[in-house]
Amino acid sequence: MYVSGARRSETCIWLLSGYEPTPVSRCRSLTELNSGLNLKFSFTLRSAAQMSTLNSQLSRDQQRTICSLLGRVKLNLLYKATVHGFTGAAFHQRCDNQSTTVSVGYNASGYVFGGYTSQSFSQSGQYVSDSRAFLFSFTGGIIKKHPVFNAPYAVRMIGNSGPTFGNTLALMNGNRPVIYSNPGAQYNFNAAEMHGNDLNLTECEVYQVVDDLESTEPEKPWRTVIWESGNKKEMMESIQTYKPTIYSVSQARVLLIGQVGAGKSSFFNSINSVFRGHVTCQAISGCSPTSLTTQFRTYSLKAGREGKPLPIILCDTMGLEYSKGAGIDNEDIISILEGHMPDRYQFNPAAPLHDDAHGYRKSPGLNDKIHCVAYVIDACKVSVMPTQFVEKLKAIRSKANLLGLPQLVLLTKVDEACPLVKKNLRNIYWSEYIKKIVQDISAKVGVPMSCVVPVKNYSDELELDLNCDILLLSAVIQMLRLVDNYFDELSDQLSSVELK
């Protein structure tokens, strides 16, 4: 039975064993209720808010957006600081050993932000490794994702704090409703964009991520791929036997343009690996804050170790940077597009190529010019792409349009961007989150969605993977189709001139 307590906002729940008590209305006190009776009983005092179902502050749309990153899952609210208390003890009591979780912080400035980890919380005081962990924030309904880059220190288990992601972000620091923020330690983010530099929490929620067996799966993927070795073989043969429709051109030339670390050189290495039959690293690639590519390189692919050159050349460039005097200059890109720049030209961001430079082609032929432009873009960085970088891409796209060049986007690191895809690369076209990224980059760069091709480059693998190969080969097939469109347009122009 329920007995009203002294406070209006509270209710006392009396749990009695072996006794049917006198009606509550006739008892003036607990002492009177037990007077003369040698009974043992216990009671728990709960607030009315604790007895009711916890209400999530995270909107349904925000929950759906987070779940789209993780697959067929739903979020169950475990902990709400305004109900259970802004203390590490309250958080750990409800959230320890609960496996995969999403933690969300809110502040008075209206920011919503947090982190995901596949590891269980504890009070060990240790760092826990989690390569799948990431931080996130919402801006105008769009989620910005910040993957961990120092996985061994992804999550820290501290007894007197709330969810703590490395030494970068803590929701509830030292049993206080304040945020600890230190961008760059294990995760990179802009503090002003993440929480507006308002470090006072108004709410902290932790959700357990569980399988949603009742959810309705999409009837079909948003793109169809045949994940079979026979399809891989057919695509490889199609690329090997490709012939440009203009007979004076023997090889299609595709220019790779992208931000530092996006995966331009890695894309060549990956395609080269597919045709060599094992993972190779001919082009210099890796992780660096500045471009590892300092020369203009034209890479010809071969079918096997001593095979014939393939009818496609991938042209690698220095990485794009948005700060002045850094990265490849737009004038150099124009020189490449028009066929003036020689192979192995050493880039100088402070001084673009001049017509008196050694090897400069004053009268390039169609064989020397670029036939297709591929923008290589990291899927993890689409939502946080600097405006200056987008403007730089638009300037390049404008020049490429004037030259009539077809363009597409190679969307790299899709496995790092989406845990569902990391679990299985075949989920790529089932992922609504990847589809949203494709839509976003399509709008930012100004190319159709059909010209945005997700790929996964080889990075830490020692052996080839069929799923990886199929995505990579699909990208090359799409390049060659666009090259054909370009040559068809040139042929039509020539025919029109001859008729006149």
Side-chain angles (χ1 to χ4, degrees), residues 69-85:
L69 294 173
L70 309 174
R72 196 180 175 190
V73 298
K74 61 182 179 181
L75 303 180
N76 287 345
L77 185 54
L78 295 174
Y79 165 78
K80 190 175 180 71
T82 53
V83 173
H84 303 114

Side-chain angles (χ1 to χ4, degrees), residues 196-213:
N197 291 314
D198 179 355
L199 302 182
N200 294 307
L201 279 176
T202 57
E203 182 64 279
C204 175
E205 295 178 331
V206 179
Y207 298 81
Q208 185 180 32
V209 179
V210 296
D211 291 335
D212 188 1
L213 302 178

Side-chain angles (χ1 to χ4, degrees), residues 314-330:
L314 296 177
C315 303
D316 195 12
T317 60
M318 191 176 191
L320 281 177
E321 296 185 46
Y322 53 85
S323 55
K324 192 174 181 180
I328 188 172
D329 190 278
N330 277 14

Side-chain angles (χ1 to χ4, degrees), residues 229-266:
S229 57
N231 187 35
K232 172 185 172 179
K233 183 179 179 182
E234 286 180 12
M235 286 194 289
M236 290 180 71
E237 289 175 353
S238 177
I239 293 167
Q240 288 173 276
T241 57
Y242 170 82
K243 290 183 180 180
T245 55
I246 291 184
Y247 298 113
S248 62
V249 177
S250 58
Q251 291 175 297
R253 291 168 69 91
V254 179
L255 177 62
L256 305 176
I257 299 174
Q259 234 174 335
V260 173
K264 301 181 304 298
S265 302
S266 294

Side-chain angles (χ1 to χ4, degrees), residues 91-121:
F91 156 70
H92 284 290
Q93 181 183 7
R94 299 188 65 89
C95 302
D96 282 2
N97 304 312
Q98 295 291 347
S99 189
T100 308
T101 53
V102 171
S103 303
V104 189
Y106 309 82
N107 62 24
S109 301
Y111 288 82
V112 180
F113 50 93
Y116 162 89
T117 176
S118 62
Q119 300 297 315
S120 295
F121 288 115

Side-chain angles (χ1 to χ4, degrees), residues 446-463:
V447 299
M449 277 185 65
S450 59
C451 291
V452 181
V453 188
V455 295
K456 182 197 177 307
N457 291 333
Y458 285 107
S459 54
D460 57 357
E461 296 86 354
L462 296 177
E463 301 296 335

Side-chain angles (χ1 to χ4, degrees), residues 178-208:
V178 296
I179 305 157
Y180 173 80
S181 179
N182 179 34
Q186 288 81 27
Y187 306 81
N188 280 324
F189 61 85
N190 182 303
E193 292 179 356
M194 174 75 86
H195 45 61
N197 291 314
D198 179 355
L199 302 182
N200 294 307
L201 279 176
T202 57
E203 182 64 279
C204 175
E205 295 178 331
V206 179
Y207 298 81
Q208 185 180 32

Side-chain angles (χ1 to χ4, degrees), residues 145-452:
K145 184 168 168 283
H146 312 279
V148 64
F149 64 81
N150 192 357
Y153 302 94
V155 187
R156 194 175 181 187
M157 308 302 178
I158 303 178
N160 67 345
S161 292
T164 305
F165 295 86
N167 192 37
T168 304
L169 182 73
L171 305 179
M172 288 192 315
N173 185 33
N175 288 321
R176 294 177 300 151
V178 296
I179 305 157
Y180 173 80
S181 179
N182 179 34
Q186 288 81 27
Y187 306 81
N188 280 324
F189 61 85
N190 182 303
E193 292 179 356
M194 174 75 86
H195 45 61
N197 291 314
D198 179 355
L199 302 182
N200 294 307
L201 279 176
T202 57
E203 182 64 279
C204 175
E205 295 178 331
V206 179
Y207 298 81
Q208 185 180 32
V209 179
V210 296
D211 291 335
D212 188 1
L213 302 178
E214 297 177 357
S215 69
T216 303
E217 285 189 344
E219 292 183 2
K220 60 181 181 179
W222 51 276
R223 277 187 191 163
T224 303
V225 175
I226 301 172
W227 304 98
E228 295 176 2
S229 57
N231 187 35
K232 172 185 172 179
K233 183 179 179 182
E234 286 180 12
M235 286 194 289
M236 290 180 71
E237 289 175 353
S238 177
I239 293 167
Q240 288 173 276
T241 57
Y242 170 82
K243 290 183 180 180
T245 55
I246 291 184
Y247 298 113
S248 62
V249 177
S250 58
Q251 291 175 297
R253 291 168 69 91
V254 179
L255 177 62
L256 305 176
I257 299 174
Q259 234 174 335
V260 173
K264 301 181 304 298
S265 302
S266 294
F267 178 74
F268 162 73
N269 286 336
S270 298
I271 297 295
N272 199 31
S273 297
V274 176
F275 283 96
R276 288 295 182 96
H278 60 87
V279 177
T280 65
C281 296
Q282 181 179 339
I284 298 173
S285 62
C287 298
S288 173
T290 57
S291 182
L292 293 173
T293 302
T294 59
Q295 293 182 328
F296 173 60
R297 291 303 317 274
T298 57
Y299 291 109
S300 184
L301 297 153
K302 287 185 178 180
R305 185 177 179 185
E306 298 179 357
K308 294 180 180 179
L310 298 178
I312 183 170
I313 291 175
L314 296 177
C315 303
D316 195 12
T317 60
M318 191 176 191
L320 281 177
E321 296 185 46
Y322 53 85
S323 55
K324 192 174 181 180
I328 188 172
D329 190 278
N330 277 14
E331 291 299 316
D332 278 338
I333 292 175
I334 293 170
S335 294
I336 296 170
L337 296 178
E338 296 178 341
H340 296 297
M341 187 172 288
D343 186 30
R344 296 184 184 274
Y345 170 77
Q346 186 72 38
F347 289 111
N348 180 0
L353 176 70
H354 292 285
D355 56 9
D356 58 350
H358 177 72
Y360 181 89
R361 297 191 193 98
K362 294 186 177 181
S363 302
L366 189 55
N367 261 322
D368 303 313
K369 297 179 180 180
I370 296 300
H371 309 135
C372 177
V373 176
Y375 303 105
V376 184
I377 295 177
D378 183 345
C380 300
K381 297 182 178 179
V382 171
S383 63
V384 292
M385 191 177 289
T387 304
Q388 302 97 314
F389 178 68
V390 175
E391 293 303 317
K392 212 164 193 179
L393 282 181
K394 287 182 178 178
I396 297 167
R397 176 159 168 71
S398 177
K399 180 60 180 178
N401 286 340
L402 288 175
L403 295 172
L405 292 171
Q407 299 150 72
L408 80 162
V409 171
L410 293 177
L411 194 65
T412 61
K413 304 185 182 180
V414 289
D415 58 319
E416 295 179 25
C418 179
L420 179 66
V421 177
K422 190 176 185 67
K423 187 184 298 182
N424 187 341
L425 199 55
R426 294 190 181 191
N427 290 329
I428 183 74
Y429 292 125
W430 291 93
S431 170
E432 289 298 318
Y433 180 66
I434 294 296
K435 183 179 181 180
K436 181 67 168 61
I437 293 177
V438 169
Q439 291 170 333
D440 288 349
I441 199 61
S442 169
K444 286 182 178 180
V445 178
V447 299
M449 277 185 65
S450 59
C451 291
V452 181

